[in-house]
Amino acid sequence: MTAGRRAQPLLLTVLPALGVLLALCSAGQAQAAGYRYWSFWERDGGRWTYATQGPATARPADGAVEGFRFAVSEDSGDASRPRGAADFGTVCAGTDAVRGKKRVALVLDFGTPADAPSGEKPPARRTACAVVPGDATSAEALAAVAKPLRYDTNALLCAIAGYPAKGCGEQVTATAEGKPGSGPSVGLLAGSGVVVALAAGAFWQARRRKNA
């Protein structure tokens, strides 16, 4: 077998390897689905727990502390908690009890710039003490202190205090590294460079043998 003919099987071996490499590069950008939305939390002692029902049906007691956090999350187990300390005495300090009404401390965490929709900037985290009728829901307490609220046709809470201006629970994709749009890792790219260099070197070595 001549050197020129040896080059063909070599390339047939290298090209599938390059195909696998390209597939690995694509895998480096494997997309994990998440959703950009407001999550609803209840304060249990000194910690936040994910609410077991929505704000439209939850009816907090006087002295309750509830939180809302805007973020990109895969599900309730992955959801980001409201940040910062929160307790009823601090949030509702100076708000006297009113007969027939209840006070609900609310923590509104608008999230980080990384969680924000394109072109929007999250407002600063804030707290508010809602004074509402005794049978009011969490949604009514929220409406008392954080208008405008925006809901979709399925009654999903889309915006608090007008944020975000658009969108509602939309799906967001991210790489396995959690960075939207990021490419393969440096290590993977470095590895691909080695494979390509070896393939090129083998090819030119075969050509030199053929011409010798």
Side-chain angles (χ1 to χ4, degrees), residues 3-202:
R5 289 183 179 178
R6 283 198 300 269
Q8 185 176 5
L10 175 63
L11 288 176
L12 291 176
T13 301
V14 170
L15 289 177
L18 290 178
V20 172
L21 171 66
L22 293 176
L24 288 174
C25 288
S26 297
Q29 288 183 292
Q31 294 180 333
Y35 298 88
R36 182 182 285 119
Y37 66 99
W38 281 100
S39 57
F40 175 43
W41 301 80
E42 297 170 339
R43 192 75 172 175
D44 182 11
R47 58 190 293 270
W48 290 109
T49 59
Y50 202 87
T52 57
Q53 55 184 320
T57 57
R59 296 183 186 277
D62 180 68
V65 180
E66 298 183 329
F68 293 84
R69 170 70 190 268
F70 187 77
V72 175
S73 308
E74 290 185 31
D75 51 40
S76 61
D78 176 60
S80 299
R81 292 171 172 77
R83 295 167 295 174
D87 65 87
F88 179 80
T90 300
V91 176
C92 288
T95 302
D96 296 330
V98 178
R99 186 169 182 170
K101 294 183 178 294
K102 61 185 176 184
R103 296 164 296 169
V104 181
L106 297 174
V107 176
L108 309 179
D109 188 338
F110 296 84
T112 68
D115 293 320
S118 178
E120 297 202 50
K121 181 180 179 181
R125 171 190 178 276
R126 65 185 176 92
T127 62
C129 185
V131 180
V132 291
D135 62 347
T137 64
S138 298
E140 291 170 327
L142 181 64
V145 297
K147 288 182 179 179
L149 305 180
R150 178 166 57 85
Y151 292 88
D152 71 357
T153 55
N154 297 313
L156 177 66
L157 179 61
C158 304
I160 294 176
Y163 181 83
K166 57 184 179 179
C168 190
E170 65 272 20
Q171 189 175 53
V172 179
T173 56
T175 66
E177 296 168 346
K179 297 178 181 179
S182 64
S185 67
V186 173
L188 180 58
L189 288 175
S192 68
V194 171
V195 172
V196 172
L198 289 175

